[in-house]
């Protein structure tokens, strides 16, 4: 199977205060999206990066750089339009804001699709108590059993993902669309260090983890 990666970097960073995917990480000089594209490129045969309007790609080599849409799902569809429509294609969708996802994690979700699943996602068990809250009042405590925190990269059979994205479907991740379309999505172990950068504090944590990794490997 040919593997295509779609790195979604089309967001405006409203909660961060700027398009965070282009912020450099520590002393590396490379941005979040640079790291995500480089990792995808180390595993996938081809990579498509999805960018904000009027943004020109200047990072690692990619098969295509396309303009995203207003919503995340719109951006994924823009990336899918640049992917070959062959029958034996696996598509891996990854958020640029998760720059520390490892090549091994990419391979794990790809291997799960090769093994027969329609889709595969990395998951972490919930460690904290979960409560449903309205305003400042606790409504109920939600049992943690059977709940998981889902990450990217997420891998899918290309045809399954295309059908799930038909029309104007929208969801917080692609697995939700595939699930809604009746696809079989399996989980693989996620990585605690595969953090999503949403705030400036998240960026500081990711920079510290990256620096620690560099020191331990030197």
């Amino acid at each position: 199977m040919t593997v295509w990666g779609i790195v979604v970097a089309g967001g405006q960073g409203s909660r961060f205060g700027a398009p965070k995917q282009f912020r450099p990480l520590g002393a590396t000089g490379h941005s979040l999206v640079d790291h995500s594209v480089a990792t995808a490129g180390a595993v996938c045969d081809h990579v498509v990066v999805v960018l904000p309007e009027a943004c020109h790609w200047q990072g690692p080599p990619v098969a295509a750089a396309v303009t995203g849409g207003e919503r995340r799902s719109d951006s994924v569809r823009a990336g899918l339009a640049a992917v070959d429509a062959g029958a034996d294609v696996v598509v891996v969708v990854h958020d640029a804001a998760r720059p520390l996802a490892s090549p091994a994690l990419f391979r794990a979700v790809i291997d799960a699709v090769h093994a027969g699943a329609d889709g595969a996602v990395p998951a972490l068990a919930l460690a904290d108590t979960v409560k449903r809250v309205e305003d400042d009042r606790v409504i109920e405590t939600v049992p943690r059993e059977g709940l998981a925190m889902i990450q990217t990269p997420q891998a899918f059979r290309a045809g399954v993902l295309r059908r799930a994205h038909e029309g104007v479907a929208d969801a917080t991740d692609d697995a939700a669309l595939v699930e809604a379309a009746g696809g079989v999505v399996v989980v693989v172990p996620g990585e605690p260090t595969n953090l999503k950068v949403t705030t400036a504090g998240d960026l500081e944590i990711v920079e510290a983890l990256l620096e620690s990794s560099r020191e331990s490997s030197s």
Side-chain angles (χ1 to χ4, degrees), residues 30-96:
H30 300 296
S31 67
L32 277 71
V33 65
D34 288 341
H35 281 272
S36 294
V37 167
T39 303
V43 179
C44 303
D45 299 300
H46 311 282
V47 177
V48 177
V49 62
V50 184
L51 302 169
E53 188 175 1
C55 181
H56 301 286
W57 179 241
Q58 297 178 327
V62 295
V66 301
T67 299
E70 181 178 347
R71 305 170 302 177
R72 183 186 184 280
S73 295
D74 297 326
S75 292
V76 174
R77 283 190 279 274
L80 272 173
V83 171
D84 283 349
D88 293 327
V89 175
V90 173
V91 177
V92 185
V93 183
H94 185 54
D95 291 332

Side-chain angles (χ1 to χ4, degrees), residues 4 13 17-18 44 81 98 105-106 109 134-135 156 160 183 195-196 200:
W4 283 74
C44 303
R98 292 186 184 270
L105 190 59
F106 275 77
V109 292
E134 291 183 4
D135 296 324
F156 307 93
V160 170
L195 302 176
K196 184 176 182 179

Side-chain angles (χ1 to χ4, degrees), residues 16 20 25 32 97-99 195-200 202-203 206:
F16 191 87
K20 57 183 178 289
L25 275 176
L32 277 71
R98 292 186 184 270
L195 302 176
K196 184 176 182 179
V197 175
T198 302
T199 67
D202 297 331
L203 182 63
V206 167

Side-chain angles (χ1 to χ4, degrees), residues 126 128-133 138-147:
L126 291 172
D128 298 324
T129 298
V130 179
K131 295 184 183 291
R132 193 180 311 279
V133 177
V138 173
I139 303 302
E140 66 173 319
T141 299
V142 181
R144 292 179 302 188
E145 291 75 14
L147 298 180

